[in-house]
């Protein structure tokens, strides 16, 4: 089986795709509300019909026919209040994104999509919509891709159909905010900084320590990082820690103080202040609110 679902009592689920799976596609015609989950692959979701409420660490957003969701590796999400909800999931392995599709990281809109090729844990989910004309085309191309996928065609044929689907996303528009700045490969130092912050977010980072690890001047690092990411590295780290804490709040039953320590905020008052600043709720209020829609669901 290419897909395995791990569920622990009173915790949300983790979906794993077998390491030898290059690409996975699933068409769900009548999606029902279910427990939120995270997974180890990058997922691209096409909402084909109906509507639902999409829950992420950021809260609840309506999604409907014509919407597309980019869900990075490690980001949890779930659907509630599903009404005739039909979707197609496309799961991309790290190898596929790095090799056959690696060149897309310099092509808009993929160059501006956080989590598309970097696969950095803690990256935000992006939701955008397609114009009606483009959605009609992507529906036809998804049907072709599904046919090729189900008959287990050779990889070049599958890749060709997949590229035709992805080509439709050039007309996508992000309704919540403009695409991130930049239209090409990240500066190597910025990529290294992001990698360090995402993999070692619990470390006692300061600007000086990060700049030293990268062998850069601190002021130069701020300018370089801010130009490509939109904020200085320490502000980005605080956002990342808050998102990781939010994920732990809804995917585990760890005590709130322990969660703060795990993400790098060892002082409870600091964790409380930082979390409230990012989400407008205390950690306990956030946990209660985000888990409520999934109460009693397997």
């Amino acid at each position: 089986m290419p897909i395995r679902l791990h569920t622990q009592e009173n915790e949300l689920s983790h979906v794993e795709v077998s390491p030898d799976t290059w690409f996975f596609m699933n068409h769900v015609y009548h999606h029902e509300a279910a427990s939120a989950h995270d997974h180890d692959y990058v997922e691209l979701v096409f909402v084909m019909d109906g509507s639902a409420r999409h829950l992420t660490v950021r809260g609840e957003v309506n999604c409907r026919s014509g919407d597309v969701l980019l869900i990075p590796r490690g980001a949890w999400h779930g659907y509630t209040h599903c009404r005739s909800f039909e979707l197609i999931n496309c799961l991309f392995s790290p190898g596929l994104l790095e090799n056959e599709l690696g060149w897309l990281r310099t092509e808009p809109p993929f160059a501006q999509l956080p989590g598309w090729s970097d696969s950095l844990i803690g990256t935000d989910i992006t939701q955008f919509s397609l114009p009606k004309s483009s959605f009609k085309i992507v529906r036809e191309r998804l049907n072709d891709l599904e046919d090729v996928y189900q008959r287990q065609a050779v990889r070049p044929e599958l890749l060709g159909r997949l590229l035709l689907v992805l080509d439709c996303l050039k007309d996508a528009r992000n309704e919540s905010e403009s695409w991130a700045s930049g239209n090409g490969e990240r500066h190597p130092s910025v990529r290294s900084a992001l990698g360090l912050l995402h993999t070692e977010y619990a470390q006692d980072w300061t600007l000086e320590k990060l700049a030293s690890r990268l062998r850069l001047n601190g002021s130069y690092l701020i300018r370089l990082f801010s130009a490509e990411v939109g904020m200085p590295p320490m502000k980005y780290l605080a956002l990342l820690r808050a998102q990781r804490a939010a994920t732990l709040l809804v995917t585990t039953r760890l005590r709130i103080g322990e969660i703060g320590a795990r993400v790098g905020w060892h002082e409870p008052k600091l964790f409380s202040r930082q979390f409230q600043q990012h989400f407008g709720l205390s950690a306990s209020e956030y946990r209660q609110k985000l888990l409520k829609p999934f109460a009693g669901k397997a």
Side-chain angles (χ1 to χ4, degrees):
M1 291 291 291
I3 296 286
R4 291 197 306 166
L5 178 65
H6 302 274
T7 304
Q8 300 182 30
E9 185 177 0
N10 294 325
E11 295 187 4
L12 300 186
S13 304
H14 175 69
V15 178
E16 288 186 356
V17 183
S18 60
D20 59 343
T21 299
W22 180 70
F23 173 78
F24 179 83
M25 187 176 188
N26 188 34
H27 194 156
V28 184
Y29 289 92
H30 300 287
H31 201 293
E32 297 181 357
S35 292
H37 63 277
D38 69 357
H39 38 71
D40 59 351
Y41 271 36
V42 172
E43 179 180 5
L44 198 59
V45 179
F46 296 87
V47 181
M48 309 305 293
D49 199 7
S51 63
R53 294 180 184 175
H54 187 218
L55 269 72
T56 73
V57 294
R58 284 295 182 183
E60 182 179 296
V61 179
N62 291 327
C63 58
R64 59 187 64 84
S65 177
D67 285 346
V68 183
L69 315 174
L70 174 65
I71 304 162
R73 182 170 61 91
W76 78 267
H77 71 118
Y79 306 103
T80 65
H81 299 81
C82 299
R83 297 181 179 178
S84 303
F85 193 45
E86 177 189 351
L87 55 80
I88 292 179
N89 297 312
C90 294
L91 275 66
F92 299 79
S93 71
L96 173 58
L97 292 174
E98 183 65 27
N99 299 315
E100 288 88 348
L101 299 180
W103 59 275
L104 284 177
R105 65 163 57 108
T106 63
E107 295 289 325
F110 304 97
Q112 291 87 20
L113 286 174
W116 166 251
S117 58
D118 289 330
S119 293
L120 297 172
I121 293 293
T123 306
D124 271 340
I125 291 173
T126 304
Q127 179 169 332
F128 45 97
S129 60
L130 288 168
K132 288 184 179 180
S133 57
S134 296
F135 182 62
K136 181 180 180 180
I137 296 172
V138 81
R139 181 186 289 275
E140 295 172 353
R141 293 181 178 180
L142 281 168
N143 288 338
D144 291 340
L145 175 62
E146 187 175 14
D147 176 67
V148 170
Y149 178 78
Q150 289 182 344
R151 61 182 171 83
Q152 299 180 336
V154 294
R155 187 174 293 192
E157 185 177 0
L158 177 63
L159 181 61
R161 297 293 183 180
L162 178 58
L163 287 172
L164 288 174
V165 171
L166 296 178
D167 180 64
C168 294
L169 299 185
K170 67 180 183 297
D171 297 323
R173 54 183 187 272
N174 187 342
E175 295 181 342
S176 61
E177 57 187 20
S178 60
W179 297 118
S181 60
N183 54 10
E185 184 81 12
R186 288 197 189 278
H187 189 285
S189 294
V190 175
R191 288 180 62 86
S192 296
L194 287 169
L196 286 171
L197 295 179
H198 278 260
T199 57
E200 302 178 28
Y201 54 83
Q203 295 297 318
D204 184 24
W205 287 110
T206 64
L207 176 63
E208 291 73 20
K209 289 181 180 179
L210 182 61
S212 177
R213 284 282 294 272
L214 298 170
R215 298 182 179 180
L216 295 175
N217 174 273
S219 297
Y220 176 67
L221 175 59
I222 290 177
R223 292 196 301 272
L224 188 65
F225 195 96
S226 298
E228 294 202 13
V229 180
M231 64 185 75
M234 292 301 100
K235 184 176 181 180
Y236 182 86
L237 175 61
L239 173 62
L240 176 60
R241 284 175 170 173
Q243 292 175 346
R244 294 305 298 158
T247 298
L248 290 172
L249 283 166
V250 296
T251 58
T252 75
R253 284 293 173 264
L254 293 171
R255 293 184 176 183
I256 290 175
E258 185 176 351
I259 289 175
R262 284 199 179 193
V263 302
W265 287 321
H266 297 275
E267 292 294 329
K269 289 184 179 180
L270 176 60
F271 173 44
S272 176
R273 184 170 65 251
Q274 290 282 356
F275 192 89
Q276 180 91 27
Q277 179 179 330
H278 282 91
F279 290 101
L281 297 169
S282 69
S284 59
E285 290 170 338
Y286 179 92
R287 172 177 268 171
Q288 182 179 11
K289 178 181 178 181
L290 270 290
L291 285 179
K292 186 176 180 180
F294 302 106
K297 292 182 170 60

